[in-house]
Amino acid sequence: MPLKKSSRNMTSIKFQDNRTFGLFHTICRIIYLSCATNFWFEDMDYPAKLMKIYNATSRVLEVTVAVFIISDWGAFWTQPNLTEKQSNDRILFAFSHVVMYSVYSSIVYYKLEIRELVMTLAVRLKVYNDGTIEKMMLRTTFRYLTALVFVCSSTLFSFGIGSGIQALTTNATFTTVIPIWPDVEDRRIIAGAARIVHYIVWWIFVVRVISVYFIILTSTIGITHQFNNLCKYFEKLENIFKGSGSQEEKERKYENAFKVGIKMHSITLWCTRQTQLAGGVAFSGQVIINVFVLVLLMIQMMFTERTLIAMMPIIFTASSVLIGTGVFLWNAGDVTIEASRLPAAMFHSGWHNSTRQSSVRVRKLVTIAIAQAQKRVLIKGLGLLELSYESYVTIVKSSYSLFSVIY
């Protein structure tokens, strides 16, 4: 559907005035190019014919990816002649790909909710916008998304390079993932071509999954910095009483401004709940993948030759899992930390400068607002695990503990 002219103008204006708007707009454009899913609250500003062709192509790729995942599980019945490493890879990929695709499907399912979330973070909450905090958010987002892309792409490259070198220097075939067909010992040209196709489809699958991870991760970072933004907003309210005007005017202005802050806090809490709803499977899936994959990788290391080529895929896969889980849990924990600073910011907002009847109203308002802000803001995985720096360390330790029990 072509983008309306008014939407194009609005996008242009807000992109210039609001860097958060520009960030989310860019992220949504990247996601659309990766999987043809529009998380933006307006139409994508791409040519209509191109979008029509790409949407049809993406549906074909979606079916191809689904067949690819089914092929992972079919290999348990058709691939009996595997080495110990290949057998572990088959289990690792079959399980992790299902979890990753479940995350992808869940996020796409909540597309409308995410659109509303993006619109709220990029537009509605920009009543007050601290430039320094916004720059910090942009740097944090760029740093984490770059790290996520680097480690995930490095994993796929390492499997491709490792398998390619083995195929060129030994009698092995170019086998990255273990598909339902061809057999790992099949050396026909058509079998080799099929393995290359499987490797390309693997890239397509990972690109689609990682791209939708972007929107959940960016939203979580955005909420963290919005709580920081709110703290700065309340702390600056005391400046109202340092300005010109009568005491009555200052008190009225302060009271109205404090109510605006309460409304922004309420909307920010809604954004947190919306992120938990849309990203709940992503948070839970990442925890499950972390434990399962790390245990399998530690088992695999016991049977792997200690050479650079053999160890490279294991090292990059472990790094990918650890960093991928880390960026989710660390930022979810930052939401809790920044939200916990809000009651103190409200208390130091200057309410004590109000007098007479205004003082009575403001004290009641501040008391209720602080009581609401003192409730812990949490993002959870698996419905009960509080995501934070501490839970990240616990999850990593539990992976090794489980490995120790097994072996």
Side-chain angles (χ1 to χ4, degrees), residues 90-108:
R90 180 177 58 181
I91 298 172
L92 186 152
F93 293 140
F95 178 81
S96 60
H97 286 173
V98 167
V99 177
M100 291 171 66
Y101 194 74
S102 299
V103 170
Y104 168 82
S105 301
S106 173
I107 295 175
V108 172

Side-chain angles (χ1 to χ4, degrees), residues 334-346:
D334 284 343
V335 171
T336 302
I337 292 172
E338 293 299 330
S340 67
R341 295 178 53 242
L342 194 56
M346 290 178 172

